[in-house]
Amino acid sequence: MKNFFGRVFNSEFLTFNEVLRLKVTIVTIFLFIFVILSIPTTSLSDFTSDINLLLPISFILLLLITIILLIINKNRTAMHFSIFTIISITIYYLGGSDYFYGFILFFVALTIIIFYQDIYTYLVYGGAITIYALIYINTNGSEIMGANSASLEISNLTYQSILLGFYIVFLIQFIMSDNIYENLNNEYVRMNKVLEKYHDLSMEHLKEILEKNNASFIYNNINFQQTISELSVFVNEFFEDDSADILEAVEFYFFIHDKDIDNIVEDKRLNVKTRKHANEFKKYLLNNRTEMVSMLFEFSTLFQDTEPFSDNRYEYNINNIFYNKVDKLLAMSIIYKFLRTEKTQYDKWGKITENFTHEQVTELFVSREFREFLTFEQVNFYLDNQELFDEYLT
Amino acid sequence: MLREPNKYVFSQLETYKEKLELEHLKKKTIIVNMLVFLLGALVLYLLLKIGRDFDGIMPLMLTFIFFLIVNFSFYSYKQDHYNYLKILMYGSVIFIYFISIMIVFEFQTPSSFTGMFLAYAVTSIYQDYKSIMLSNFTLFLTGSLLVVRFPEIFSISNGNNPDTFIVLVFLLVFVLLLTLSSLILIKRKTFFYNQLAYVKEAELRNIRLLLNIQKILGKNEINQNSYYDKINAFSKAVSSKIGVDDIFKYRLILLEDLCKLNDIEFTNKYTDVTIEEKQYISQMRVDILSKIRTISIKASQSFGIKVSKKEVFAETQFKSFKHSEDSNYSKIISFVTFYTLLKINKPYLKALDEEELRDVLLNSEYFHKVDRDIMNIYLQNSEVFDTIVNAHLKEDEL
């Protein structure tokens, strides 16, 4: 139970699939309690006793299917089954004599669908339930009309407009949050790719340092390999007794460092386990800029001394950083000079020995991406005087 | 093991997160106001339809108008906008429920009670942890009080009145499910804000790291004289072409002196240049990690980056040692390799001692990047880890 709540409270660190699994589990628990609670009320419904017995059993069967699907990690299908269950329960209640409960269940069913936070599921199932509810109110409105209602028409109109409003407001919320997350995520992914470029450069420089010192990568060091083996065996002992397999995996991890991983992964002659391990280890290799190397670089930045936050800390557009036109043009000239003279680009052997040519800088300046740094006005000044930039700033 | 999750969070993130959140909060405030306006129009229509006179309509309509005026005033007040909008948000949540309770008492029907759910939906637009908790609490409290204290509101015309207990159970299920749903959603939203703020700060720090590594290679030195001489010549040529005085002359002299002179010499020479001006001009220095150098490095790496739709929600975007598709062996080997590398001197990071490393792994976001079982094994056996590393590695460097 503690673990379960721990997962809810740390759900932001779970993958999308894990979050979905957690949600289906919560809904299944709720529905299970709901079904158990609904059994005593079956006597209130208008169905025959056979149906009153069969229906709760079928709800439990639906829930069992959901649980089985969760166990075999078919979380999305499990989600659909949990929605089928609540829809069935709603229809069951609507068929009885307690119409008001049935009507409230429309909201509960919509709530469960909202809980999954999936816009297409909400549009399809939520839309279907809302349409059904609107029709239901039209045909059975008198059964849920309040004693104080002015008329059946007003009562129906109130029920319908509130339910439709509820559906539309949550639809707006879905669209809005999808939009916000997509934008945030898009920017995050883009920034991550830029970070990877810095890491690529840093890694190339580290290789140059090794070359300069006639040293080799740490993964070639026997003591290092021995340490990783012992630590891996130690940790693995908490999961399984036999250490032979993990030792083999560690050996393979070091072995593939100097091999072409893509060839290993695609080589159909090798067994599936070998290819799977190669594919998994690819992101943890130490001889290139991999996920492991990026994490090491990022870890090291935790210890950097930096200035406190200022308003233009993450601002890179010279138009927003400098006040007057002259400063903006001077800043653009410095950027041009930097791009033309500093070695920031790779040659065909993957070494950082190249700088941008005038044509490449022009292409950069006029590109859409470069609006992050320069305005059109500044680029126009550049284009009007580009021969001077090329002549003097190289 | 008690964690201090904020111990290693970059101090600059909080302010930037507020900036990010403010943009979205402004949009949400507008949407909520539009929805309340529409709700007001619907209520007015219903009141007219049931034949209420002017005196019967006015109290509710004035409440709606008051809500919109207060929102407009707070929204327009630009100073400390973030905090004012937050206060407005909490106030609006309570006010929206106040309006919905007024509607319930005005109509006194079960249909008007369902308006409370609509109130909940409108307040959920904010997607804010505290406001959603406030909304859940208010819904459950007011809903329960209405059900228990005013059961006549739920009277059905055919006499088949709902059971108070069952309505309360429905209410509880509704509130609990939506609380959990909001909790998960808001945690995810906060996570994205954190990640985006983190990645912005990480960019600056990684540029600094890159320059530090270049420094070890002796590659980060920029010949400022050559820079400013060339820009000076360029300035003269451009000025002559467009027919003005040497446009960059004064700035270039200041920049050169900023590089050559120390603080006191500079202040003595330029008595009319204020500290703020000096800081402003320093942003264009090329000899240090200034703003312009950061922009130039970023500009040199920011081209050709394409983000596909598929990548946007891919789990692989989040670096970790616990990818769901990875086997347990991969999770173990990747973590112990990472751990061991942190215990070794590297050109860009000195070896960490066990106490420091354990503290960072426990209290930083790296805690969540490692499989929980493996992390627990490490935390409970960190001395064994340390002993194994010390037994084999002492003087090694990457």
Side-chain angles (χ1 to χ4, degrees):
Chain A
M1 191 56 101
K2 196 180 159 192
N3 187 30
F4 176 76
F5 282 110
R7 285 175 80 79
V8 173
F9 286 106
N10 290 307
S11 56
E12 69 269 41
F13 299 105
L14 300 177
T15 61
F16 288 108
N17 200 30
E18 285 171 329
V19 171
L20 180 61
R21 189 181 172 81
L22 185 67
K23 285 178 177 176
V24 181
T25 310
I26 293 169
V27 168
T28 309
I29 295 168
F30 268 110
L31 290 179
F32 193 77
I33 296 169
F34 220 85
V35 169
I36 299 293
L37 282 175
S38 72
I39 292 172
T41 65
T42 50
S43 58
L44 301 169
S45 69
D46 290 347
F47 299 117
T48 63
S49 56
D50 295 346
I51 292 177
N52 277 336
L53 184 70
L54 276 174
L55 280 172
I57 292 172
S58 47
F59 298 150
I60 290 174
L61 271 175
L62 273 171
L63 285 174
L64 280 176
I65 296 171
T66 311
I67 293 166
I68 292 166
L69 288 166
L70 272 178
I71 292 168
I72 58 169
N73 215 15
K74 298 280 179 203
N75 301 325
R76 209 159 169 83
T77 320
M79 175 190 84
H80 290 295
F81 269 86
S82 68
I83 294 172
F84 298 153
T85 314
I86 184 64
I87 292 174
S88 312
I89 293 173
T90 308
I91 293 169
Y92 165 67
Y93 266 93
L94 290 169
S97 55
D98 301 296
Y99 300 97
F100 187 70
Y101 301 146
F103 180 73
I104 295 275
L105 265 173
F106 281 128
F107 284 97
V108 175
L110 281 176
T111 307
I112 285 175
I113 299 165
I114 289 163
F115 183 58
Y116 287 122
Q117 290 291 325
D118 183 279
I119 191 160
Y120 298 110
T121 307
Y122 185 66
L123 274 172
V124 174
Y125 292 117
I129 287 173
T130 308
I131 292 167
Y132 177 61
L134 296 177
I135 297 166
Y136 174 82
I137 295 162
N138 254 352
T139 49
N140 297 286
S142 58
E143 303 291 345
I144 50 173
M145 189 176 106
N148 302 323
S149 290
S151 67
L152 181 60
E153 187 198 355
I154 296 288
S155 171
N156 283 0
L157 185 64
T158 316
Y159 275 123
Q160 286 175 326
S161 48
I162 287 175
L163 189 76
L164 190 63
F166 184 82
Y167 177 76
I168 291 171
V169 171
F170 270 106
L171 186 63
I172 293 171
Q173 200 224 51
F174 270 101
I175 295 168
M176 210 174 66
S177 49
D178 263 23
N179 191 282
I180 291 175
Y181 295 146
E182 194 168 336
N183 287 342
L184 286 176
N185 222 333
N186 197 53
E187 178 65 3
Y188 175 73
V189 174
R190 202 184 64 81
M191 288 294 300
N192 250 338
K193 291 192 171 193
V194 178
L195 277 186
E196 282 175 10
K197 285 194 159 197
Y198 301 135
H199 295 160
D200 280 331
L201 285 177
S202 296
M203 189 62 194
E204 274 315 306
H205 289 318
L206 284 177
K207 284 182 187 174
E208 285 179 47
I209 294 174
L210 284 179
E211 257 177 52
K212 207 171 147 185
N213 298 332
N214 284 325
S216 70
F217 277 108
I218 186 75
Y219 63 82
N220 291 318
N221 184 305
I222 299 295
N223 289 340
F224 179 76
Q225 293 182 3
Q226 187 65 30
T227 312
I228 304 300
S229 298
E230 278 192 33
L231 283 173
S232 301
V233 169
F234 174 72
V235 176
N236 193 51
E237 272 172 6
F238 290 86
F239 300 102
E240 59 185 29
D241 293 332
D242 189 12
S243 62
D245 285 350
I246 192 148
L247 277 172
E248 205 180 309
V250 173
E251 204 178 312
F252 184 64
Y253 169 65
F254 288 115
F255 169 77
I256 58 172
H257 268 81
D258 294 317
K259 303 283 177 266
D260 185 337
I261 305 286
D262 293 333
N263 272 352
I264 298 177
V265 174
E266 277 156 31
D267 192 342
K268 297 255 163 39
R269 290 167 303 173
L270 296 170
N271 69 44
V272 178
K273 200 173 149 192
T274 306
R275 287 159 59 197
K276 186 177 181 295
H277 274 314
N279 195 35
E280 287 175 14
F281 289 151
K282 190 178 169 183
K283 50 189 177 290
Y284 304 123
L285 299 184
L286 305 172
N287 54 345
N288 277 310
R289 204 280 309 150
T290 56
E291 200 169 318
M292 170 73 87
V293 171
S294 285
M295 283 173 80
L296 278 166
F297 286 150
E298 283 179 24
F299 189 94
S300 75
T301 64
L302 288 178
F303 304 94
Q304 269 182 18
D305 292 324
T306 57
E307 316 76 34
F309 183 83
S310 58
D311 277 343
N312 75 356
R313 188 169 177 83
Y314 309 127
E315 181 62 69
Y316 298 99
N317 195 317
I318 61 170
N319 203 47
N320 303 330
I321 297 168
F322 300 105
Y323 318 138
N324 67 51
K325 236 176 178 172
V326 170
D327 290 334
K328 290 172 190 176
L329 295 180
L330 176 57
M332 182 170 68
S333 316
I334 297 174
I335 294 172
Y336 178 89
K337 169 107 181 85
F338 181 94
L339 295 173
R340 287 299 310 276
T341 53
E342 300 305 315
K343 311 280 182 228
T344 56
Q345 305 304 304
Y346 298 90
D347 60 23
K348 55 183 174 181
W349 294 281
K351 302 274 179 203
I352 311 156
T353 57
E354 302 281 312
N355 37 257
F356 284 94
T357 62
H358 174 73
E359 289 69 29
Q360 285 170 329
V361 175
T362 307
E363 202 182 319
L364 266 187
F365 276 19
V366 296
S367 69
R368 218 174 63 172
E369 293 141 304
F370 228 76
R371 297 293 74 75
E372 191 182 352
F373 308 102
L374 303 175
T375 62
F376 273 120
E377 192 192 1
Q378 287 138 15
V379 175
N380 282 337
F381 176 86
Y382 166 76
L383 291 174
D384 289 343
N385 301 285
Q386 56 172 309
E387 72 289 347
L388 296 177
F389 277 85
D390 189 24
E391 187 183 341
Y392 289 94
L393 298 177
T394 49
Chain B
M1 272 164 290
L2 216 59
R3 291 187 67 233
E4 295 173 67
N6 294 326
K7 194 170 176 181
Y8 292 95
V9 171
F10 298 147
S11 60
Q12 294 87 352
L13 301 194
E14 214 44 53
T15 329
Y16 185 68
K17 268 192 295 182
E18 270 186 19
K19 273 181 90 171
L20 273 177
E21 217 177 329
L22 176 64
E23 286 310 306
H24 295 140
L25 190 53
K26 282 198 251 179
K27 281 183 202 157
K28 288 169 187 171
T29 307
I30 294 170
I31 292 173
V32 167
N33 275 274
M34 282 164 65
L35 290 170
V36 170
F37 177 79
L38 288 175
L39 184 65
L42 175 71
V43 172
L44 178 64
Y45 172 75
L46 288 172
L47 286 171
L48 289 172
K49 188 101 178 158
I50 58 172
R52 284 278 195 283
D53 59 10
F54 183 76
D55 291 344
I57 291 171
M58 275 324 279
L60 251 173
M61 287 304 109
L62 281 174
T63 316
F64 275 107
I65 293 168
F66 179 72
F67 175 89
L68 295 171
I69 289 174
V70 170
N71 266 262
F72 181 75
S73 314
F74 270 67
Y75 190 87
S76 311
Y77 191 68
K78 298 289 177 198
Q79 217 165 8
D80 201 7
H81 211 189
Y82 177 77
N83 286 321
Y84 271 92
L85 285 185
K86 279 250 164 179
I87 293 168
L88 178 67
M89 176 175 69
Y90 302 134
S92 296
V93 169
I94 295 171
F95 215 93
I96 289 168
Y97 278 104
F98 177 71
I99 293 175
S100 61
I101 292 166
M102 278 182 83
I103 295 170
V104 173
F105 281 115
E106 182 64 39
F107 290 90
Q108 303 226 357
T109 58
S111 57
S112 61
F113 176 77
T114 56
M116 305 280 288
F117 299 144
L118 187 58
Y120 180 90
V122 174
T123 58
S124 72
I125 293 280
Y126 285 119
Q127 294 181 356
D128 174 85
Y129 188 71
K130 284 178 192 158
S131 79
I132 212 73
M133 287 301 146
L134 182 65
S135 178
N136 286 324
F137 177 74
T138 318
L139 173 64
F140 189 67
L141 188 76
T142 52
S144 308
L145 281 175
L146 284 172
V147 172
V148 175
R149 299 281 297 161
F150 302 96
E152 65 275 12
I153 291 172
F154 299 89
S155 304
I156 303 287
S157 58
N158 62 10
N160 200 356
N161 296 341
D163 189 303
T164 306
F165 173 73
I166 297 179
V167 177
L168 276 176
V169 170
F170 279 128
L171 199 60
L172 185 69
V173 170
F174 182 84
V175 170
L176 276 179
L177 266 178
L178 283 174
T179 306
L180 284 170
S181 168
S182 314
L183 189 74
I184 293 171
L185 181 71
I186 293 164
K187 276 186 162 289
R188 203 130 195 104
K189 181 199 78 173
T190 315
F191 177 71
F192 279 124
Y193 281 139
N194 283 338
Q195 288 298 308
L196 194 55
Y198 167 81
V199 90
K200 292 270 179 192
E201 178 61 26
E203 176 170 40
L204 272 183
R205 290 173 184 244
N206 277 287
I207 290 176
R208 198 180 294 255
L209 173 73
L210 173 65
L211 283 179
N212 285 341
I213 295 175
Q214 283 178 344
K215 200 173 176 181
I216 299 168
L217 261 175
K219 274 190 167 180
N220 79 330
E221 296 301 317
I222 281 186
N223 184 346
Q224 72 234 25
N225 289 336
S226 141
Y227 249 78
Y228 296 134
D229 287 348
K230 296 226 169 177
I231 292 174
N232 206 1
F234 166 73
S235 169
K236 285 190 174 79
V238 170
S239 304
S240 137
K241 184 182 170 188
I242 57 178
V244 292
D245 290 339
D246 191 352
I247 52 172
F248 299 150
K249 191 177 175 186
Y250 181 62
R251 278 285 184 253
L252 286 171
I253 293 170
L254 279 180
L255 275 169
E256 279 186 82
D257 280 346
L258 267 172
C259 299
K260 282 185 211 151
L261 308 176
N262 64 32
D263 276 356
I264 300 166
E265 287 168 340
F266 186 86
T267 315
N268 289 340
K269 187 171 176 183
Y270 298 98
T271 47
D272 56 331
V273 176
T274 62
I275 296 172
E276 289 75 29
E277 242 180 300
K278 192 178 146 194
Q279 282 172 345
Y280 170 78
I281 302 159
S282 290
Q283 295 186 104
M284 280 190 270
R285 281 177 68 171
V286 289
D287 58 321
I288 53 168
L289 181 55
S290 62
K291 193 77 190 174
I292 201 73
R293 192 145 176 201
T294 313
I295 296 172
S296 303
I297 295 172
K298 183 175 166 68
S300 72
Q301 302 302 319
S302 293
F303 62 96
I305 290 173
K306 301 263 183 296
V307 177
S308 68
K309 190 96 180 160
K310 202 177 158 193
E311 284 174 308
V312 172
F313 289 106
E315 285 161 13
T316 48
Q317 287 305 324
F318 299 99
K319 298 184 196 84
S320 80
F321 301 115
K322 58 164 193 180
H323 290 289
S324 54
E325 73 278 11
D326 278 1
S327 65
N328 214 30
Y329 286 175
S330 293
K331 290 175 188 170
I332 295 172
I333 295 168
S334 59
F335 171 66
V336 300
T337 307
F338 181 70
Y339 166 85
T340 310
L341 286 166
L342 293 173
K343 305 274 287 180
I344 301 170
N345 274 324
K346 291 169 290 302
Y348 55 92
L349 181 67
K350 69 172 178 58
L352 299 175
D353 64 46
E354 187 53 38
E355 198 184 335
E356 192 178 8
L357 178 52
R358 189 179 186 281
D359 191 58
V360 184
L361 290 175
L362 176 64
N363 296 314
S364 70
E365 58 158 340
Y366 287 84
F367 180 82
H368 297 289
K369 290 180 187 278
V370 180
D371 178 87
R372 185 59 60 87
D373 292 332
I374 297 171
M375 182 51 91
N376 286 341
I377 292 168
Y378 163 68
L379 292 171
Q380 284 156 15
N381 302 280
S382 55
E383 285 173 12
V384 180
F385 273 64
D386 189 37
T387 309
I388 294 174
V389 172
N390 288 337
H392 296 288
L393 296 163
K394 264 288 163 211
E395 302 298 324
D396 292 302
E397 283 199 0
L398 185 67

